[in-house]
Amino acid sequence: MARKLSALFMLLLLCVTAPVASAQPTNVIFFIGDGMAPAQVEAAGMFAGGPMSFESFANQGVVTTYSANSSVTDSAAAGTALATGVKVNNGVISMAYPGDGSDLQTLLEHFQGLGRSTGLVTTTYMTHATPAAFGAHEPSRNNLSQIAGDYLNQTQPNVLLGGGGNGMLPAAATGAGYTVVTDAAGLAGLDTEATTYVSGQFGSSHLPYEYDGLGALPHLSEMTTTALNILDNNAGGFFLMVEGGRIDHAGHNNDIQRNIRETVEFSNAVQEAIDWATGRTDTLIVVTADHETGGLTVLADNGAGNAPTVSWSTTGHTATNVPVYAWGVNAALISPVMDNTDFWEVMTVPEPASMGLLALASLALLKRRRR
Ligand SMILES: [Zn+2]
């Protein structure tokens, strides 16, 4: 009787702990708000009159961001940690420094190796540090033309959407087999069912701030939607990194008006991914940041439509932990306190219970083959 009861208990335990997920996520969408810590999210929510889209995600935590050689990271080292699971020195793009200087495999390359489509989307110029950490290997983030060369000739993501110039040239992208678009109309005019490689080179530097108006250039949410519509043509899945890159720039300038609007548009981009993924059971969405910028503190809510009253402590980055919000397959692997090197495992390793199921399934398959 006792044995029967304990078996029943084990069964119940299995049912309770069995995750919704049954495998590695097929589609991984990785959102990075550059310079977006909890205070930036709070300030944007006060302006918007409600929480950011990703604040509804069930699995949340905070992330430590220090680099290999500094308690305060830059975007290159933080991007590398997020992209490769390895801490490097500030300024380094996905190479082993400290170490032997070898290339560190990125999530983009990992998923490409599994036959997935890949994409990088940002509001900074395309060769800036965060996207570079996913699609390039360079000893310095300042090697802009080399980073462009790494994208176009080495890692070749299907989708590259961001600001132009700074090493990216339309002719070089065309020569590498990319369809080049240079404004919102060109982006909207793409046949997303037929496009396999696209390079969006919007303007000659970072995209303008939302506060100042985008003119003929696309919003982050529009770039995200187009990226999803191209990448989802691959039935085998995809990896997409989307960066809200200018939250950081407004933070450096201690400019709360531009900071909150960049965060709101970042939230809009996440909402596009939520809309795309709703009803699916094969997708992981992770929203986090690379570091905090500005030492922001929110002092008073001035109501929706108004910037809150705030204070800033620096025009640089800080060591403040950043938030993480996750939805979908493996979202439960997000822990209350994690490090920026932990995302590699969350995105690439199936949940333990799922591994058990996978092992059982492959065992059954083996038995069948032996017959
Ligand atoms: Zn910065």
Side-chain angles (χ1 to χ4, degrees):
M1 185 65 188
R3 194 176 282 180
K4 255 189 187 170
L5 267 178
S6 68
L8 192 70
F9 177 75
M10 285 302 289
L11 196 71
L12 271 172
L13 199 70
L14 255 175
C15 291
V16 169
T17 56
V20 183
S22 61
Q24 213 177 60
T26 304
N27 309 304
V28 175
I29 312 173
F30 200 177
F31 283 93
I32 300 172
D34 201 310
M36 187 190 77
Q40 280 79 2
V41 176
E42 183 188 5
M46 288 175 176
F47 170 73
M52 297 294 97
S53 58
F54 43 84
E55 291 186 86
S56 65
F57 290 177
N59 298 94
Q60 302 189 10
V62 295
V63 184
T64 51
T65 66
Y66 62 93
S67 72
N69 67 341
S70 174
S71 60
V72 179
T73 189
D74 80 327
S75 290
T80 297
L82 296 170
T84 72
V86 179
K87 288 200 190 281
V88 298
N89 295 336
N90 284 0
V92 174
I93 300 291
S94 294
M95 294 182 81
Y97 295 110
D100 60 8
S102 60
D103 289 358
L104 300 169
Q105 191 189 30
T106 72
L107 285 165
L108 185 143
E109 292 167 317
H110 168 80
F111 286 113
Q112 216 168 35
L114 299 176
R116 314 277 175 88
S117 291
T118 58
L120 299 174
V121 173
T122 182
T123 50
T124 65
Y125 57 76
M126 196 68 241
T127 51
H128 208 249
T130 304
F134 287 83
H137 303 279
E138 292 296 330
S140 168
R141 61 183 289 171
N142 299 323
N143 296 354
L144 301 185
S145 51
Q146 292 92 327
I147 289 167
D150 285 359
Y151 289 156
L152 298 178
N153 307 313
Q154 190 181 328
T155 59
Q156 300 187 307
N158 300 85
V159 172
L160 289 168
L161 300 178
N166 301 282
M168 289 298 283
L169 295 166
T174 305
Y178 283 79
T179 301
V180 176
V181 291
T182 56
D183 58 16
L187 186 71
L190 284 172
D191 179 355
T192 54
E193 297 309 299
T195 302
T196 49
Y197 289 92
V198 61
S199 170
Q201 302 186 23
F202 305 117
S204 56
S205 183
H206 307 305
L207 282 147
Y209 284 115
E210 286 289 326
Y211 181 84
D212 300 315
L214 274 285
L217 303 179
H219 297 273
L220 185 64
S221 52
E222 295 173 310
M223 294 193 284
T224 302
T225 304
T226 302
L228 290 168
N229 289 339
I230 291 171
L231 296 175
D232 71 6
N233 296 331
N234 186 340
F238 64 82
F239 172 80
L240 171 63
M241 191 289 297
V242 178
E243 184 198 21
R246 304 213 66 194
I247 302 167
D248 172 65
H249 299 157
H252 282 289
N253 292 333
N254 291 177
D255 179 342
I256 192 62
Q257 292 287 359
R258 287 173 178 76
N259 194 267
I260 51 185
R261 285 166 179 81
E262 290 304 303
T263 305
V264 167
E265 178 57 17
F266 179 68
S267 168
N268 293 340
V270 176
Q271 186 62 50
E272 294 297 328
I274 295 170
D275 292 347
W276 179 88
T278 297
R280 304 188 69 111
T281 55
D282 59 357
T283 299
L284 170 65
I285 303 175
V286 172
V287 179
T288 190
D290 51 358
H291 54 73
E292 197 272 347
T293 306
L296 180 67
T297 303
V298 177
L299 301 174
D301 184 348
N302 295 322
N306 301 308
T309 306
V310 301
S311 70
W312 303 88
S313 69
T314 174
T315 55
H317 299 171
T318 71
T320 299
N321 289 348
V322 295
V324 54
Y325 314 83
W327 179 95
V329 181
N330 285 4
L333 294 183
I334 295 296
S335 46
V337 181
M338 52 191 294
D339 185 63
N340 59 3
T341 53
D342 295 335
F343 288 100
W344 176 280
E345 200 173 324
V346 171
M347 294 184 182
T348 61
V349 177
E351 294 191 43
S354 315
M355 284 170 79
L357 284 175
L358 272 179
L360 279 175
S362 45
L363 206 70
L365 207 72
L366 270 174
K367 277 183 179 168
R368 193 176 290 178
R369 278 201 187 142
R370 275 194 201 133
R371 274 180 202 161

